[in-house]
Amino acid sequence: MQRRHFLRSVSSLSAAAALVPAHTWAQGAKPALTPVKFTLDFKVTSQTAPFFLAAAKGYYAQEGLDVQIDVGAGSVASLTRVASGAYDLGLGDISALIEAHAKGSLPVQAVYQYYNRAPFVIIGRKDRGITTQMASLKGKKVAAAAVESTRRSWPMVAEQQQLGSDFFEWVTTDFSARDNVMVRGDVDAATYFHDSAVSLFQRMPPEQLSVLSYAEAGVHLYGNAIVASTALMKDKPELVRGFLRATQRALLDALANPAEALAAVRAREPMLRDDQERARWAITRTYLANAETAQVGLGRIQPAVLQQQIAQIGKTFGLPQLPTVQAVWNTGFLPTAVQQGAGA
């Protein structure tokens, strides 16, 4: 009799348990995190420190996300990875996204503007007569990879500055050889992402070099943005919002305490040089937080500026049709606006 009563009690408890959510029944057990795959545009450096800091400090986990951060192979590859569904989110250049939309329907949109300005620069040797003015490049030899963003965007600078198409001579050089040809003096200047030029600065004193900025030449291009697939935004909007909230939170922390952010990056890539990454981040932050972000907030854009960029890219690359701002950029997932200036 007692055994039958015990079995009935167990049966009742089992039936009741089936009606109770698993996380409630588990007596304090944490709910499972949602896996998220995020692709960088390139290798791991301090340029993307906030993403690693968000993971290290548990910000993604607090949003219910288990984020896997993988190295990339360029912006086009990032867009392809996200469009195919192989990755949920990625980091990619807005100009590349505009081109992709202009050439056909692409199920990917920008959702957070990471680089408020593209860090496109040409770095020249002062002993070759190069100053911070684009006019000083006349007749010089400028090294660049065959297909890279800074080189491809040069016609916009040439038009803005009213310079001829053959203003200087391009010397096609592999990415890995640019520092060498600059140090040896085989060329007078070379194209760089500004924050990627720290390797050159380690070999040549910065006071011997001039930095010619595309932005200061009047070409205002937004740079890398966080992108998401339209399917993800439709099916899991809170995942996108949570990822952006956590990332912006870490970006604020990185701006306020760079050492903490750099430690998170070096935990992922221990072989990185601390001095080089500090110098890199000091440059990167000026493109992430600047006068515009102080006005409109981190991660945001001004539609008129993006519209101008779309028009410039269409003209430069002879695109058959141009996408709208709304086709390229989706503002519906941005976290609460945070104003943050370059002096943060």
Side-chain angles (χ1 to χ4, degrees):
M1 184 71 176
Q2 289 179 341
R3 184 174 183 274
R4 286 197 300 271
H5 177 73
F6 172 75
L7 291 175
R8 283 198 301 270
S9 298
V10 171
S11 178
S12 298
L13 284 171
S14 299
L19 301 177
V20 179
H23 64 272
T24 302
W25 181 252
Q27 292 294 319
K30 296 180 179 178
L33 300 178
T34 301
V36 176
K37 293 187 69 177
F38 176 71
T39 176
L40 301 175
D41 64 322
F42 199 45
K43 61 185 179 181
V44 176
T45 69
S46 59
Q47 291 163 307
T48 50
F51 300 104
F52 297 99
L53 185 61
K57 297 187 76 170
Y59 292 167
Y60 289 135
Q62 290 170 26
E63 294 288 350
L65 308 176
D66 179 15
V67 178
Q68 172 185 320
I69 305 173
D70 290 340
V71 298
S75 288
V76 173
S78 291
L79 299 180
T80 302
R81 286 176 173 183
V82 174
S84 69
Y87 283 79
D88 301 297
L89 301 128
L91 194 64
D93 182 47
I94 278 286
S95 293
L97 182 60
I98 292 169
E99 277 195 81
H101 272 280
K103 295 176 180 177
S105 178
L106 186 77
V108 177
Q109 290 178 298
V111 291
Y112 191 96
Q113 194 59 50
Y114 187 66
Y115 275 84
N116 179 265
R117 284 290 178 269
F120 298 164
V121 299
I122 293 176
I123 297 180
R125 295 177 58 123
K126 289 183 178 179
D127 63 358
R128 300 294 176 85
I130 297 176
T131 69
T132 57
Q133 301 302 308
M134 294 295 179
S136 66
L137 293 171
K138 184 175 177 59
K140 305 299 184 182
K141 292 182 177 181
V142 181
V147 180
E148 56 100 4
S149 300
T150 310
R151 179 173 181 169
R152 295 185 73 227
S153 299
W154 168 255
M156 301 181 200
V157 180
E159 181 179 14
Q160 178 70 28
Q161 296 284 308
Q162 299 183 344
L163 307 174
S165 58
D166 57 350
F167 191 68
F168 55 72
E169 177 187 351
W170 286 113
V171 177
T172 300
T173 310
D174 187 75
F175 282 112
S176 61
R178 280 184 306 185
D179 291 357
N180 291 335
V181 297
M182 280 288 287
V183 173
R184 289 198 306 261
D186 298 342
V187 296
D188 308 301
T191 61
Y192 283 90
F193 271 33
H194 193 179
D195 42 6
S196 294
V198 294
S199 57
L200 176 63
F201 299 152
Q202 296 287 332
R203 298 179 62 183
M204 291 186 70
E207 57 268 20
Q208 295 180 9
L209 300 166
S210 294
V211 177
L212 298 86
S213 165
Y214 281 27
E216 292 180 7
V219 178
H220 297 158
L221 303 174
Y222 289 119
N224 285 359
I226 298 173
V227 300
S229 70
T230 53
L232 182 70
M233 290 184 277
K234 178 182 177 182
D235 298 337
K236 299 180 180 179
E238 281 308 311
L239 183 154
V240 179
R241 292 189 179 96
F243 181 88
L244 296 183
R245 279 194 299 266
T247 300
Q248 179 165 274
R249 186 179 173 190
L251 173 54
L252 286 167
D253 287 353
L255 292 169
N257 186 0
E260 183 180 46
L262 298 181
V265 175
R266 292 191 68 212
R268 169 65 179 264
E269 291 291 344
M271 297 303 292
L272 291 174
R273 287 178 48 179
D274 189 59
D275 60 337
Q276 194 171 78
E277 296 312 313
R278 283 200 310 271
R280 193 190 311 276
W281 176 252
I283 298 171
T284 296
R285 62 179 292 149
T286 66
Y287 289 93
L288 308 185
N290 53 28
E292 183 175 321
T293 59
Q295 178 184 357
V296 302
L298 288 170
R300 285 159 168 73
I301 60 162
Q302 295 188 82
V305 176
L306 182 56
Q307 183 62 62
Q308 182 182 35
Q309 183 169 347
I310 291 171
Q312 287 177 310
I313 291 170
K315 182 177 181 179
T316 300
F317 303 133
L319 300 177
Q321 59 184 6
L322 299 180
T324 64
V325 169
Q326 292 72 25
V328 173
W329 226 99
N330 191 324
T331 61
F333 299 88
L334 286 165
T336 303
V338 175
Q339 292 185 337
Q340 190 69 53

